[in-house]
Amino acid sequence: MPKKDEESEEEEEEEDDERIMTMMMFWEKHSPKETADKMRELGGGDALIYNELFNKPRHAMAHFMLMGIGNFDDGRPLAPQLEEKRKFFKEWVQDGEDGGALLLMLELFCMKECRPALEAFSPVLKVLWERDIVAEEQILAWHENERSLMEFWPKFFSQKDAETIRRSSKEFVRWVQEGEG
């Protein structure tokens, strides 16, 4: 007979939105443009993210991109892995709203899936900025608002994690603000 903790753990197992698997299977056989077009075709409405129904399409698509194409190894630094797949993210981000959605969902991704990146986020921001994936203004606005995830999706907010990821981002933010970039 399973213990009560094992039963509740099985009940709480997170279910992935099928669009994550679709993107996992699609991206390796297609160009970044074809992959971005496929993501837009699939859309982000009525998404299932961490067992929650989610209806913010841009953010859901950013999540599908991170989970499906990124498929990052949390045992390796995040920035070099993002660099390897940068063309796919760059092709998907068409405007500032997509860039902001990607940045916010990266924060959530680090909190839920890749905790070591919370303490090493400057290199991630550098990839996003140097590769013109996310604009400097968006990065600075995100950095200034440590409650952005709270305002967006309170259930997954952690003040400690928000402070940690921004503290680890200060080096990059300071570098950009000083005009070194």
Side-chain angles (χ1 to χ4, degrees):
M1 179 172 190
K3 294 180 184 175
K4 191 166 190 116
D5 288 84
E6 291 173 348
E7 288 175 3
S8 63
E9 189 175 302
E10 287 177 12
E11 289 173 19
E12 293 179 23
E13 188 173 316
E14 292 180 351
E15 191 176 323
D16 288 334
D17 191 292
E18 64 187 36
R19 289 168 280 195
I20 293 171
M21 184 58 70
T22 299
M23 295 309 293
M24 280 181 169
M25 304 300 290
F26 190 87
W27 79 271
E28 287 188 286
K29 297 175 183 158
H30 296 86
S31 72
K33 179 174 180 359
E34 291 168 328
T35 302
D37 289 345
K38 180 68 171 177
M39 183 71 269
R40 284 188 276 282
E41 175 190 319
L42 293 172
D46 296 327
L48 185 61
I49 299 177
Y50 301 120
N51 280 351
E52 296 288 322
L53 187 57
F54 189 78
N55 201 17
K56 296 197 187 303
R58 286 180 196 260
H59 294 79
M61 287 188 285
H63 177 75
F64 301 152
M65 293 288 291
L66 290 167
M67 300 298 286
I69 294 163
N71 199 19
F72 301 114
D73 175 357
D74 66 354
R76 293 178 42 218
L78 182 57
Q81 296 180 80
L82 185 59
E83 174 70 29
E84 291 169 8
K85 297 175 179 172
R86 70 188 181 277
K87 292 178 183 176
F88 292 91
F89 290 96
K90 183 171 176 63
E91 190 66 45
W92 177 74
V93 173
Q94 293 188 327
D95 58 31
E97 289 185 41
D98 289 344
L102 179 61
L103 190 53
L104 191 60
M105 295 312 279
L106 260 167
E107 180 178 359
L108 178 61
F109 173 81
C110 291
M111 290 178 174
K112 298 284 287 176
E113 307 286 342
C114 192
R115 297 204 50 87
L118 290 171
E119 298 194 25
F121 208 66
S122 272
V124 171
L125 293 177
K126 188 174 182 184
V127 169
L128 294 173
W129 179 76
E130 282 186 338
R131 300 305 184 179
D132 294 319
I133 298 169
V134 178
E136 178 180 328
E137 300 79 33
Q138 293 168 300
I139 292 171
L140 296 176
W142 167 84
H143 187 264
E144 288 175 20
N145 183 7
E146 70 184 26
R147 297 183 58 81
S148 58
L149 188 58
M150 172 68 182
E151 294 164 3
F152 179 72
W153 206 354
K155 178 177 182 170
F156 295 111
F157 177 75
S158 158
Q159 184 66 39
K160 182 180 176 192
D161 288 346
E163 290 171 7
T164 299
I165 198 168
R166 281 164 183 80
R167 187 172 43 253
S168 77
S169 302
K170 274 188 180 178
E171 180 184 339
F172 173 77
V173 169
R174 193 171 313 131
W175 180 75
V176 166
Q177 288 174 329
E178 290 173 358
E180 300 272 341

